[in-house]
Amino acid sequence: MDVRDETSLLDVCFLIALLVMMTAAQFFADSAKPLFMWSRTLIASGEVWRLVSGNIVHISWPHLLLNLLGYALLAAIFGFRAAIRRCAMVVPLLAALVGIELYFLADHIRWYVGFSGVLVGLFVYVAITNIAAMRLQ
């Protein structure tokens, strides 16, 4: 097995921590959403962490469960190892890109919560890396 194909312990720990954070944020939604949701007004006033943190909180349990099912679908299609490979690097980058793109390219959006943007980015990332790996073989 190629070393590049192995999933690191850091990736697994990061994924578990992310799932725990999203679930905990939903358990404490009344207090977590106002603190972490992506808000154009609050980002403009200096709360830049919201560019990333809005991806952790969700509107409702069904919204969180749909995002988790989407991740499970990613793992089912591409394999669990591929779905979490380099997650510790890719998820924060995608979360920041989603927040920055919303801020600069979608000025009609005033607030945002959820992991959907990151999830779409993960699908694209895993698909591209799998295609690139197949071409190298």
Side-chain angles (χ1 to χ4, degrees), residues 11-131:
D11 291 329
V12 174
C13 290
F14 178 81
L15 177 62
I16 291 169
L18 181 65
L19 297 176
V20 167
M21 282 191 310
M22 289 193 297
T23 304
Q26 192 58 40
F27 269 114
F28 303 105
D30 290 342
S31 56
K33 267 186 235 169
L35 290 173
F36 297 113
M37 69 183 281
W38 186 99
S39 165
R40 178 172 302 283
T41 306
L42 295 173
I43 292 168
S45 72
E47 297 182 15
V48 293
W49 71 84
R50 292 174 182 276
L51 289 169
V52 175
S53 67
N55 296 283
I56 296 169
V57 292
H58 291 76
I59 290 176
S60 63
W61 281 105
H63 181 210
L64 173 61
L65 292 174
L66 282 172
N67 280 183
L68 295 177
L69 285 172
Y71 190 84
L73 180 64
L74 177 76
I77 292 171
F78 294 108
F80 184 73
R81 280 191 175 147
I84 66 170
R85 189 177 302 135
R86 293 191 301 259
C87 234
M89 174 189 71
V90 176
V91 168
L93 176 64
L94 289 171
L97 286 173
V98 167
I100 291 167
E101 286 179 293
L102 286 172
Y103 191 79
F104 289 107
L105 301 177
D107 61 353
H108 62 284
I109 296 177
R110 299 289 167 222
W111 63 273
Y112 173 85
V113 294
F115 197 67
S116 302
V118 174
L119 192 58
V120 169
L122 278 173
F123 269 94
V124 171
Y125 169 77
V126 172
I128 288 171
T129 56
N130 278 0
I131 291 168

